Amino acid sequence: ERGNHYDTAYAAAFTRDRHEYRALVFTNGDKLAAEALGRFALGKAENNEVETGEAMPAGTKVAFIYSGNGAQWAGMGRQLVAEVPRIAELVAEVDAVLAPRSGFAVLPALREGASAERLADTAFAQPVLFAVQVALTRWLREQGLAPEAVMGHSVGEVAAAWAAGALDLAQAVEVVLVRSRAQALTRGTGRMAAVALPEEAMRALLAESGGAGLEIAA
């Protein structure tokens, strides 16, 4: 049966014309897939069993965007390191550089499922986010998926700098640790707000209102 699935996948990938519009079927097995496609052809597809879309142009390039602090959640990465041993190995490789400087290892924290309270601590959360992003980037590269460009927000900028080769792993770890520890000292002493104004208009508003203690951060 496995051979039949392989043959079906191979034929679908390599022995047909590639048209502009595509349909993706969510089923368990060839027979159910054929039935779902039959319903789709008749305009009677059931909810969520077929998704359609337009194919991306040939030669489309890939960019990786790295998340900042706030993207973490309790239990993040637990299932991933349990089900993909290679990613656990890659996190451990980051730990080899990170743990001697930070005093904690990321892999055990992921396996145990770090609490929301601990993840609220910048000095812990940012190194964890960095380690997960580095491991995922390395794993995706091993699968043949490498970015043409990278970009990051907040602590994600450090992961992006590492991915671009601007920083090596030891340098990036040092930046993450110094940055996160400095930010941890200011925890609870301020807030951020997103304002839909250009910089010049915001500066004028701050000058007009007094704006004591307020600064434009980005």
Side-chain angles (χ1 to χ4, degrees), residues 18-23 52-55:
R18 295 182 177 274
H19 298 295
E20 185 176 359
Y21 294 95
R22 310 284 173 84
T52 61
E54 190 173 351

Side-chain angles (χ1 to χ4, degrees), residues 177-207:
L177 291 178
V178 171
R179 180 186 194 277
S180 61
R181 286 167 181 165
Q183 284 192 303
L185 297 175
T186 66
R187 182 179 177 185
T189 62
R191 293 180 179 274
M192 291 192 295
V195 183
L197 285 177
E199 180 184 355
E200 289 185 6
M202 189 66 226
R203 291 197 182 282
L205 180 61
L206 289 176

Side-chain angles (χ1 to χ4, degrees), residues 14-194:
F14 296 108
T15 64
R16 62 173 175 82
D17 292 334
R18 295 182 177 274
H19 298 295
E20 185 176 359
Y21 294 95
R22 310 284 173 84
L24 178 65
V25 185
F26 297 93
T27 61
N28 185 16
D30 297 346
K31 184 175 183 295
L32 294 175
E35 292 172 354
L37 285 171
R39 287 190 291 271
F40 174 72
L42 296 173
K44 299 178 180 179
E46 298 177 1
N47 290 339
N48 301 322
E49 70 175 354
V50 179
E51 290 287 343
T52 61
E54 190 173 351
M56 297 176 69
T60 299
K61 296 180 179 180
V62 174
F64 285 180
I65 310 298
Y66 294 85
S67 301
N69 196 31
Q72 69 273 20
W73 69 92
M76 176 185 72
R78 176 189 255 173
Q79 184 177 358
L80 187 63
V81 298
E83 296 184 0
V84 187
R86 178 58 181 151
I87 290 184
E89 292 176 0
L90 292 168
V91 173
E93 290 178 10
V94 179
D95 270 339
V97 180
L98 177 71
R101 294 171 170 83
S102 66
F104 65 84
V106 172
L107 184 56
L110 293 179
R111 283 177 168 157
E112 294 163 8
S115 67
E117 182 179 357
R118 194 176 187 197
L119 285 170
D121 180 359
T122 304
F124 174 77
Q126 292 191 12
V128 170
L129 283 166
F130 172 78
V132 170
Q133 292 178 357
V134 167
L136 282 171
T137 301
R138 284 180 162 172
W139 183 77
L140 287 169
R141 284 174 175 166
E142 291 176 357
Q143 311 312 306
L145 182 60
E148 294 288 336
V150 294
M151 181 178 179
H153 166 68
S154 185
V155 70
E157 293 180 89
V158 186
W162 165 82
L167 298 174
D168 64 28
L169 185 59
Q171 291 169 331
V173 163
E174 191 67 22
V175 172
V176 167
L177 291 178
V178 171
R179 180 186 194 277
S180 61
R181 286 167 181 165
Q183 284 192 303
L185 297 175
T186 66
R187 182 179 177 185
T189 62
R191 293 180 179 274
M192 291 192 295

